Amino acid sequence: MSIKIDLQKCVSCGKCRTICPGNLIFKNDESKAFIKYPDECWGCTACLKECPVQAINYYLGSDIGGKGTFLNTKKEKNLLHWHIYKPNKVEIIITTNVAEANKY
Ligand code: SF4
Ligand code: SF4
């Protein structure tokens, strides 16, 4: 599991660098984000949840049956939409309410 950052979409806001608990994300000469140590990413998903432009994709490795499936997230007030893209072009959206995240 690891992330991949789309430099075309990145708007250099720096939120992913600030939130990554492992300090794995850096900025290049154009202040665009890149992951410097992908092997050390443990897939906490914090960075993609912070990214305002869906520039960070989280890849599900073959070890958990991902086979090229990736996901990113989009926020809408208290709702967090998880967009899951399968290799066969099928897209699945799962929505969670962040206000209820610690309810149970
Ligand atoms: S998924 Fe978590 S550990 Fe991996 S780069 Fe993003 S914030 Fe860092
Ligand atoms: S949070 Fe998204 S837009 Fe902001 S620096 Fe990171 S990848 Fe770029």
Side-chain angles (χ1 to χ4, degrees):
M1 285 179 278
S2 184
I3 59 158
K4 189 172 181 185
I5 300 175
D6 185 337
L7 295 181
Q8 302 295 322
K9 287 186 178 177
C10 175
V11 294
S12 310
C13 71
K15 289 183 175 179
C16 57
R17 284 187 288 116
T18 302
I19 200 76
C20 177
N23 297 319
L24 308 178
I25 302 175
F26 289 73
K27 63 179 178 181
N28 66 15
D29 292 342
E30 298 171 338
S31 293
K32 304 270 187 174
F34 72 97
I35 182 161
K36 193 169 185 180
Y37 308 108
D39 290 348
E40 294 183 25
C41 170
W42 62 91
C44 71
T45 72
C47 56
L48 52 141
K49 287 188 279 190
E50 283 299 306
C51 182
V53 292
Q54 294 81 53
I56 305 179
N57 290 319
Y58 174 74
Y59 281 79
L60 304 176
S62 57
D63 53 333
I64 59 168
K67 297 180 180 173
T69 298
F70 64 94
L71 60 90
N72 56 38
T73 62
K74 192 171 187 180
K75 272 185 190 162
E76 183 187 4
K77 295 184 179 173
N78 278 344
L79 300 180
L80 186 64
H81 305 293
W82 298 79
H83 291 254
I84 302 165
Y85 305 90
K86 296 190 153 207
N88 61 1
K89 309 288 184 197
V90 171
E91 180 182 355
I92 299 168
I93 301 174
I94 297 171
T95 299
T96 55
N97 188 332
V98 295
E100 297 179 351
N102 296 319
K103 196 172 176 182
Y104 303 102

